[in-house]
Amino acid sequence: MNIKQVRAFLAVSQTMSFASAATQLHLSQPALSLSIKSLEENLGGKLLTRTTRHIALTPEGEALMPIARRLLAQWENAEDEMKQRFALQLGKITIASMPSFAASLLPKAIRNYHASYPNIQVAIDDVLSDVVVEMVRNNQVELGISFEPSNLVDLSFHPLYEDRFIAILPKNHPLEAQETISWSALLEYDFITLQRPSSVRTMIESALNKTGIELNVAFDAHQLVTVGRMVSEGMGVAVVPALCRQQSIEQGAICRPVIEPEIRRRVGVICQPRSNLSIAAAAMLDVLIETYA
C-alpha cells in the first residue's frame, strides 16, 4: 500500500464517484481504477462494490476509511514538517561550548542566528572544552566550540580566532603596575588554575615545560569562573584564556598580558563534516564563521 493508493481510495470513498475522484486527483478514470485494483490486491480483498449505477464500501472498506484518513494526515504532516525544516522554518540545534565562550561571545552569534531563523530553537550545553569534543564525536550535539583539539581524527575544525592567555590579579597586587607580566614574576605568588584533566591546564603546563619553568599550584578548581572568584578574593593569581577577560573584570580582578612564554591557541567550531550536518546546524556554522572569523 502506498500513499497514492490511499489518496485514490479516500477520494472514491468520499465522492462515491470514480469520475469525480479522478477529476479531484487529476487522473484518468482507468488510472484511478488501476490504483484501486492494486490496493485491493495488495490488501487481499475488495474494498468497494461497483455497479454501473452505484458504488459502496465493503465492510473492509469501511474499516479502512479511518485508518486511511490518519495515514494521509500523518503523511501530509510529515511532508510539511520536512519542508519547513529544509526551509529553516522549523527545527532545533544544540551547541556544546566551553563556558568561557558561552558566557562571553556566543550570545552575539545566537542573536544573529535568531534574527535570520526565528523558528529554529537553539540550546546551549556549557561544558569543559574536553567534553565538547567528545559530545560532538558521540553525536550528542552537532556543533561544539572549543580550543583546537590536538587530535581531530574524523572531525572538522573551523577556526574563529586566536585566543591569547592573560594573567589575572587581585586588586592592589604588587604586579598591578606592570603592563605585561612574565611567568617567572607571576609564579612568585600563589597560583590558582583548573583541575586535571583540563585543556587549559594542559596548555599551561606544556608551555611552561618547554621553557623549563616549574608550575607549583596552590589551589585548583573545576570551573574558570571559580578560579576568577578566588583571585578576586585575594587568594592568589591565575592565567586564563582572554575569553575570560570581561568576566574577570566584573569579578573585580585585574587583567594583564602574560609573557615569557605567551600562550596562544585557536578557538573554533568542531563538527562532523559539513555534508553530515542538518540544514539548521550548517546555517549556524555559517553564522558563527561570519560573526567571529
Side-chain angles (χ1 to χ4, degrees), residues 85 88 90-96 110 113 117 119-125 140-143 277-285 288:
R85 286 182 180 274
L88 290 170
L90 181 71
K92 178 180 179 179
I93 60 170
T94 302
I95 303 171
I110 294 175
Y113 185 81
Y117 312 110
N119 296 318
I120 306 295
Q121 297 179 38
V122 181
I124 308 300
D125 283 341
Q140 293 173 264
V141 297
E142 289 192 88
L143 302 176
L277 297 178
S278 67
I279 300 294
M284 175 59 86
L285 175 60
L288 285 164

Side-chain angles (χ1 to χ4, degrees), residues 9-212:
F9 169 74
L10 283 174
V12 173
S13 61
Q14 289 166 353
T15 62
M16 287 301 172
S17 164
F18 271 78
S20 298
T23 300
Q24 179 182 316
L25 296 173
H26 306 290
L27 293 174
S28 66
Q29 286 194 47
L32 178 61
S33 296
L34 181 61
S35 185
I36 296 296
K37 181 180 178 182
S38 297
L39 176 61
E40 291 175 329
E41 289 175 351
N42 288 335
L43 295 181
K46 289 287 185 182
L47 300 171
L48 299 162
T49 58
R50 181 182 182 187
T51 67
T52 54
R53 296 183 178 182
H54 182 69
I55 296 174
L57 290 170
T58 66
E60 291 76 16
E62 294 280 1
L64 180 60
M65 273 284 287
I67 299 172
R69 287 196 184 102
R70 288 199 303 271
L71 285 173
L72 184 59
Q74 289 172 349
W75 178 273
E76 289 176 345
N77 289 340
E79 188 174 36
D80 288 344
E81 178 176 330
M82 294 311 301
K83 285 179 178 178
Q84 288 183 62
R85 286 182 180 274
F86 281 115
L88 290 170
Q89 295 299 314
L90 181 71
K92 178 180 179 179
I93 60 170
T94 302
I95 303 171
S97 172
M98 51 187 180
S100 52
F101 191 94
S104 56
L105 299 180
L106 186 54
K108 180 181 179 181
I110 294 175
R111 184 187 63 202
N112 293 344
Y113 185 81
H114 184 68
S116 299
Y117 312 110
N119 296 318
I120 306 295
Q121 297 179 38
V122 181
I124 308 300
D125 283 341
D126 47 346
V127 295
L128 295 177
S129 54
D130 305 291
V131 179
V132 169
V133 180
E134 291 308 308
M135 291 183 73
V136 175
R137 181 164 284 126
N138 295 334
N139 293 313
Q140 293 173 264
V141 297
E142 289 192 88
L143 302 176
I145 301 173
S146 181
F147 292 109
E148 183 174 12
S150 55
N151 185 13
L152 282 169
V153 190
D154 52 346
L155 301 178
S156 299
F157 180 78
H158 302 269
L160 299 178
Y161 70 98
E162 186 175 66
D163 188 285
R164 176 182 174 181
F165 281 37
I166 58 173
I168 57 173
L169 319 166
K171 285 184 177 178
N172 302 317
H173 191 275
L175 297 177
E176 181 178 343
Q178 298 186 23
E179 292 186 6
T180 60
I181 302 173
S182 69
W183 272 97
S184 57
L186 194 67
L187 293 178
E188 293 293 323
Y189 302 89
D190 286 341
F191 191 77
I192 307 168
T193 190
L194 290 180
Q195 297 171 354
R196 297 190 185 98
S198 156
S199 60
V200 169
R201 181 157 179 172
T202 298
M203 283 185 271
I204 290 173
E205 290 176 335
S206 175
L208 295 184
N209 285 338
K210 291 177 182 177
T211 56

Side-chain angles (χ1 to χ4, degrees), residues 214-243:
E214 183 179 358
L215 179 65
N216 293 313
V217 176
F219 308 103
D220 58 18
H222 188 62
Q223 295 282 358
L224 284 168
V225 66
T226 308
V227 171
R229 177 57 63 189
M230 294 169 77
V231 169
S232 66
E233 291 295 327
M235 295 175 62
V237 299
V239 170
V240 298
L243 276 170

